C-alpha cells in the first residue's frame, strides 16, 4: 500500500508548464529518488507536495486522503516535511532554536526535549554548536541543521531537495550516510538529487524526470545500470 | 548645569515614548518589509480612546486609579483590534504586490484614520488630565514628576517583557523565523498570517500605551498628534537600524535625548537666532544623517546565509 500517490500532476507558473502530468507512488518506509537535470521540475515536484506551489490539475493522495486543499503549514502536522533547496536555515536563530522550530507543530514538551537530544546524538557536531547562530556554521553543518530540524517534526515522509549541493565530497558522504540511517529508522524518504549516482546507490527505487515528465522509473540498481541513465547523468 | 540634567530627564521621558512606538514600526518592518505609516495614527487613536473612556468613567464616579487603568486597557484593546484590521483589510491583499503599493496604502490608511478621528473627536485640542496630583521631585536642580517616573519605568518593563516574548517563547521564535524566511517557516508548520496578525496586534498595544503616556505627560490630545510622533518614532527606528528590536529602543531613547538637548541649547549655540521651537529639526536632521552615513542604522547588521 502506498503512502503517497501522485497522479497526472500538472504545475505551471509564469506561463510555463513546469510539470506536464507526472505520476509516482511511494510506499511506507521506502527511500525513493527523483533524479534529472537542472530545470527538469524536481524542485517544483517537492514544492507542490509540500504545498508551497498549487497544482493546476492532478491528484496528490497521502495516507489515502487528498492533500490538495490542505495548506502548507498544516501538511507538516500530517507528517510531511521538506528540507528545501538551499536549506532554508534561520541564520539569525541559534542551532537549538532552529531545531525547536522543527518541533513547532508539536506540543509534547518532554518528547520534544528527548528528540532534541536524539538529534545531537545523530549529529554530534551540532551539539557542540547548539548556542551558535546558525548563520555562522559551514555549509555542511547548515545541511545537518536543516535535516535535524526536519526530523524534529517526526516526519512520516521526509523530502530532501539537493542535500549535497555545494558541499565538499567528504561532507556529501557524511550526509548520505545520515540519509541511510534515517531511512533505516523507518522514515519514508523522497530524495531529489543532481548527483544521480549517489542517489541511486542510496535509494531502492528511482524516477527520472526530464522537462517536466517522467521518462524512466524502476529499481534503483536497474536505473544505475541502464544505458539511458548512464549516458545522460553518469557521464559514461 | 541645571538645564543639562533637566534636558536629560525630558529626553529620557520622551525617548521612552519614541522607543515604544519605534518598536511597532520595526516589528512590522522586520516581518513584512513594510513601513506601516499608519502606526502614528494608532498612537493617536489610543490616546483618544483613553481620553473618552477616562472621562466617562470619572463622570460615573469610578475610583481614579481604576478609571486610569480601565481607560488604558480599553485603549490597548481598541488599538489591537485596529492594528489587526489594518493589516487584514489594507495590507494583506497587497502581500505580493510591488513594494510601492502597500506603502501608498499605508499613507492612505493614515489619512483615513486622521479624518475619522477628526470627525469623532473634532478639530480642537482636548486636555488630558489625570485624576490625581503628580508630585514633582527635585533631583539636584532638575525636576521630574510622578507621571514621568512612571512613564520611564513602565516603558522599561514593557520593553523587557517584549524582549522576553520575542527571544524566549515559542511565538517569539516563530516571529523571528517568519521575519527571516517566511517560506521556511511555513515548512515548519507556522501559519504566517497568524504570526503577522500577532505582530500587528503587539505593535498596536505598545502604540496605545505610548499614546496614553504622551497624553498624560503633555496633558493634551489632538487628532493630528500621531503624525509628527509617528514620523519621529520612525526616525528612531531607522536610527537604531530598522527591523532590529534593540535598535528601536536605543534609537528611541537617543532621539529623545538628541531632541531635548538640542532644543535646550540651540538658543545658546546660535546666539539666540534659533529658539527651542526648532526642536523638530533635530529629528529630521538625524534621519537624513543616518540615511546618508549609515543607512543600516546603529545596530542594523545582516548575517549572511552560507551556500
Amino acid at each position: 500500500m502506498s503512502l503517497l500517490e501522485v497522479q497526472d500532476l500538472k504545475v505551471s507558473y509564469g506561463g510555463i508548464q513546469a510539470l506536464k502530468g507526472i505520476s509516482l507512488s511511494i510506499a511506507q518506509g521506502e527511500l525513493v529518488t527523483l533524479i534529472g537535470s537542472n530545470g527538469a521540475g524536481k524542485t517544483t515536484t517537492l514544492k507542490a507536495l509540500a504545498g508551497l506551489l498549487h497544482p493546476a490539475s492532478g491528484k496528490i493522495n497521502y495516507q489515502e486522503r487528498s492533500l490538495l486543499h490542505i495548506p502548507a503549514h498544516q501538511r507538516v502536522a500530517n507528517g510531511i516535511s521538506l528540507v528545501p533547496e538551499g536549506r532554508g536555515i534561520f541564520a539569525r536563530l541559534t542551532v537549538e532554536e532552529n531545531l525547536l522550530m522543527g518541533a513547532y507543530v508539536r506540543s509534547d514538551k518532554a518528547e520534544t526535549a528527548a528528540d532534541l537530544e536524539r538529534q545531537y546524538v545523530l549529529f554530534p557536531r551540532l551539539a557542540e554548536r547548539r548556542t551558535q547562530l546558525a548563520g555562522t556554521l559551514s555549509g555542511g553543518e547548515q545541511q545537518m541543521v536543516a535535516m535535524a530540524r526536519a526530523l524534529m517534526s517526526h516526519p512520516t515522509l521526509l523530502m530532501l531537495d539537493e542535500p549535497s549541493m555545494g558541499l565538499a565530497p567528504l561532507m556529501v558522504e557524511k550526509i548520505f550516510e545520515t540519509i541511510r540511517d534515517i531511512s533505516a529508522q523507518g522514515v519514508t524518504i523522497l530524495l531529489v538529487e543532481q548527483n544521480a549516482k549517489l542517489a541511486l546507490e542510496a535509494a531502492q527505487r528511482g524516477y527520472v524526470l526530464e522537462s517536466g515528465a517522467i521518462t524512466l522509473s524502476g529499481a534503483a540498481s536497474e536505473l544505475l545500470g541502464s544505458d539511458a541513465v548512464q549516458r545522460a547523468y553518469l557521464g559514461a | 548645569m541645571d538645564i543639562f540634567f533637566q534636558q536629560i530627564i525630558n529626553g529620557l521621558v520622551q525617548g521612552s515614548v519614541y522607543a515604544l512606538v519605534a518598536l511597532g514600526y520595526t516589528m512590522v518592518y522586520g516581518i513584512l518589509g513594510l513601513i506601516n505609516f499608519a502606526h502614528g495614527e494608532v498612537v493617536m487613536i489610543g490616546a483618544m480612546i483613553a481620553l473618552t473612556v477616562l472621562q466617562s468613567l470619572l463622570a460615573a464616579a469610578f475610583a481614579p486609579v481604576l478609571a486610569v487603568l480601565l481607560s488604558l486597557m480599553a485603549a490597548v484593546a481598541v488599538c489591537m483590534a485596529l492594528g489587526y484590521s489594518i493589516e487584514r483589510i489594507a495590507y494583506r491583499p497587497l502581500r505580493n504586490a510591488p513594494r510601492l503599493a502597500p506603502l501608498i496604502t499605508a499613507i492612505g490608511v493614515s489619512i483615513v484614520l486622521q479624518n475619522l478621528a477628526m470627525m469623532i473627536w473634532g478639530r480642537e485640542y482636548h486636555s488630558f488630565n489625570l485624576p490625581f496630583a503628580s508630585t514633582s521631585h527635585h533631583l539636584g536642580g532638575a525636576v521630574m514628576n510622578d507621571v514621568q517616573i512612571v512613564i520611564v519605568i513602565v516603558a522599561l518593563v514593557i520593553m523587557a517583557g517584549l524582549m522576553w516574548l520575542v527571544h524566549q517563547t515559542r511565538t517569539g521564535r516563530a516571529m523571528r523565523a517568519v521575519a527571516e524566511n517566511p517560506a521556511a517557516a511555513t515548512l515548519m508548520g507556522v501559519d504566517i498570517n497568524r504570526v503577522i496578525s500577532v505582530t500587528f496586534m503587539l505593535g498596536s498595544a505598545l502604540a496605545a500605551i505610548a499614546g496614553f503616556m504622551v497624553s498624560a505627560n503633555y496633558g493634551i490630545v489632538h487628532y493630528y498628534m500621531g503624525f509628527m510622533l509617528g514620523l519621529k518614532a520612525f526616525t528612531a527606528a531607522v536610527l537604531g537600524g530598522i527591523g532590529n528590536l534593540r535598535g528601536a529602543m536605543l534609537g528611541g531613547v537617543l532621539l529623545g535625548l538628541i531632541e531635548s538637548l538640542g532644543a535646550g541649547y540651540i538658543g545658546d549655540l546660535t546666539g539666540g537666532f534659533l529658539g527651542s521651537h526648532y526642536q523638530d529639526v533635530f529629528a529630521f536632521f538625524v534621519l537624513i544623517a543616518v540615511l546618508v552615513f549609515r543607512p543600516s542604522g546603529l545596530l542594523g547588521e545582516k548575517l549572511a546565509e552560507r551556500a
Side-chain angles (χ1 to χ4, degrees):
Chain A
M1 192 191 76
S2 57
L3 175 71
L4 182 80
E5 188 80 52
V6 176
Q7 275 172 31
D8 202 24
L9 188 70
K10 288 179 184 159
V11 179
S12 328
Y13 51 94
I16 296 162
Q17 199 172 27
L19 290 182
K20 297 167 182 162
I22 66 161
S23 300
L24 54 87
S25 77
I26 302 174
Q28 178 87 44
E30 258 190 319
L31 201 178
V32 174
T33 185
L34 188 59
I35 57 173
S37 56
N38 250 335
K42 306 187 300 285
T43 297
T44 304
T45 306
L46 293 192
K47 280 187 171 171
L49 294 178
L52 295 179
L53 286 175
H54 297 286
S57 69
K59 283 185 193 163
I60 304 175
N61 287 334
Y62 170 78
Q63 292 176 336
E64 319 265 277
R65 278 179 314 162
S66 174
L67 276 186
L68 290 180
H69 298 289
I70 298 180
H73 69 268
Q74 284 173 15
R75 296 190 191 187
V76 188
N78 283 309
I80 299 174
S81 190
L82 167 65
V83 177
E85 193 178 7
R87 299 162 201 131
I89 282 295
F90 302 115
R92 274 167 286 174
L93 268 59
T94 65
V95 168
E96 184 142 320
E97 285 175 331
N98 267 279
L99 299 193
L100 288 174
M101 279 309 297
Y104 183 80
V105 293
R106 294 172 51 190
S107 50
D108 44 345
K109 275 197 167 164
E111 248 312 284
T112 302
D115 263 337
L116 197 57
E117 292 312 316
R118 239 166 263 148
Q119 303 314 322
Y120 289 140
V121 172
L122 190 61
F123 303 96
R125 189 84 70 92
L126 299 185
E128 297 163 23
R129 307 193 185 282
R130 62 209 291 172
T131 59
Q132 229 170 292
L133 292 186
T136 64
L137 303 186
S138 74
E141 290 165 343
Q142 290 193 1
Q143 184 62 45
M144 293 179 189
V145 171
M147 286 168 61
R149 188 178 63 176
L151 290 175
M152 286 297 289
S153 70
H154 267 191
T156 308
L157 173 63
L158 177 64
M159 302 187 288
L160 302 166
D161 196 353
E162 305 274 5
S164 75
M165 195 169 66
L167 300 185
L170 213 67
M171 192 53 85
V172 172
E173 222 168 86
K174 202 165 229 170
I175 294 291
F176 267 83
E177 207 175 287
T178 313
I179 293 173
R180 286 197 189 87
D181 279 354
I182 296 168
S183 172
Q185 286 167 25
V187 178
T188 309
I189 297 177
L190 176 55
L191 171 66
V192 156
E193 256 297 338
Q194 270 199 53
N195 190 331
K197 182 166 182 287
L198 266 177
L200 288 171
E201 278 170 1
Q204 286 131 32
R205 286 193 307 118
Y207 291 89
V208 179
L209 196 58
E210 275 176 63
S211 324
I214 285 174
T215 51
L216 265 178
S217 68
S221 50
E222 282 172 30
L223 288 178
L224 204 51
S226 91
D227 287 348
V229 172
Q230 288 276 344
R231 250 181 290 117
Y233 305 105
L234 304 176
Chain B
M1 267 325 261
D2 296 355
I3 176 181
F4 178 75
F5 283 121
Q6 188 61 55
Q7 297 303 352
I8 294 278
I9 289 174
N10 294 348
L12 282 178
V13 173
Q14 190 60 20
S16 307
V17 174
Y18 289 157
L20 289 188
V21 183
L23 281 168
Y25 278 103
T26 228
M27 283 197 290
V28 166
Y29 183 85
I31 282 197
L32 287 182
L34 160 77
I35 307 289
N36 176 18
F37 273 119
H39 192 57
E41 312 314 328
V42 178
V43 178
M44 176 271 295
I45 298 283
M48 290 295 190
I49 296 287
L51 172 76
T52 304
V53 174
L54 184 60
Q55 281 176 346
S56 6
L57 289 181
L58 290 175
F62 271 72
V65 177
L66 187 63
V68 166
L69 286 178
L70 286 176
S71 64
L72 178 61
M73 282 162 64
V76 168
V78 169
C79 285
M80 285 172 84
L82 180 64
Y84 173 85
S85 311
I86 291 173
E87 191 275 324
R88 192 72 191 75
I89 296 165
Y91 301 146
R92 193 173 299 183
L94 298 173
R95 190 76 57 77
N96 299 314
R99 286 170 75 109
L100 196 56
L103 192 70
I104 293 169
T105 305
I107 295 169
V109 171
S110 170
I111 294 170
V112 167
L113 289 177
Q114 257 177 38
N115 284 276
L116 200 68
M118 190 183 73
M119 283 155 65
I120 298 174
W121 286 284
R123 294 166 164 276
E124 62 274 17
Y125 287 85
H126 302 273
S127 59
F128 188 102
N129 295 317
L130 290 177
F132 31 72
S134 173
T135 331
S136 293
H137 305 276
H138 292 268
L139 307 155
V143 180
M144 191 174 192
N145 63 32
D146 289 341
V147 171
Q148 294 176 317
I149 293 173
V150 170
I151 287 177
V152 173
I153 292 174
V154 169
L156 283 175
V157 169
I158 288 174
M159 289 190 273
L162 184 73
M163 292 309 274
W164 174 81
L165 178 91
V166 169
H167 289 282
Q168 306 293 334
T169 68
R170 177 173 171 269
T171 303
R173 206 155 51 224
M175 286 170 71
R176 286 181 289 142
V178 171
E180 202 179 314
N181 190 338
T186 303
L187 291 176
M188 303 296 114
V190 178
D191 182 351
I192 296 186
N193 284 329
R194 205 182 135 265
V195 169
I196 290 171
S197 291
V198 166
T199 306
F200 269 83
M201 288 163 74
L202 265 178
S204 303
L206 298 188
I209 296 167
F212 193 100
M213 286 175 168
V214 76
S215 311
N217 191 27
Y218 290 127
I220 242 171
V221 292
H222 183 242
Y223 81 95
Y224 206 59
M225 67 186 276
F227 177 72
M228 190 58 91
L229 182 61
L231 275 184
K232 288 188 182 167
F234 166 66
T235 302
V238 172
L239 170 61
I242 191 132
N244 183 309
L245 294 184
R246 285 187 188 85
M249 298 184 231
L250 178 69
V253 173
L254 273 182
L255 189 69
L257 289 172
I258 291 170
E259 245 189 22
S260 173
L261 289 170
Y265 287 105
I266 189 170
D268 294 345
L269 290 175
T270 59
F273 181 64
L274 299 173
S276 61
H277 49 281
Y278 279 90
Q279 176 178 356
D280 293 344
V281 168
F282 293 101
F284 302 112
F285 180 75
V286 166
L287 179 59
I288 293 166
V290 170
L291 290 178
V292 171
F293 296 110
R294 198 176 161 87
S296 60
L298 295 175
L299 302 183
E301 257 178 296
K302 280 195 173 167
L303 236 138
E305 190 172 344
R306 272 187 216 168

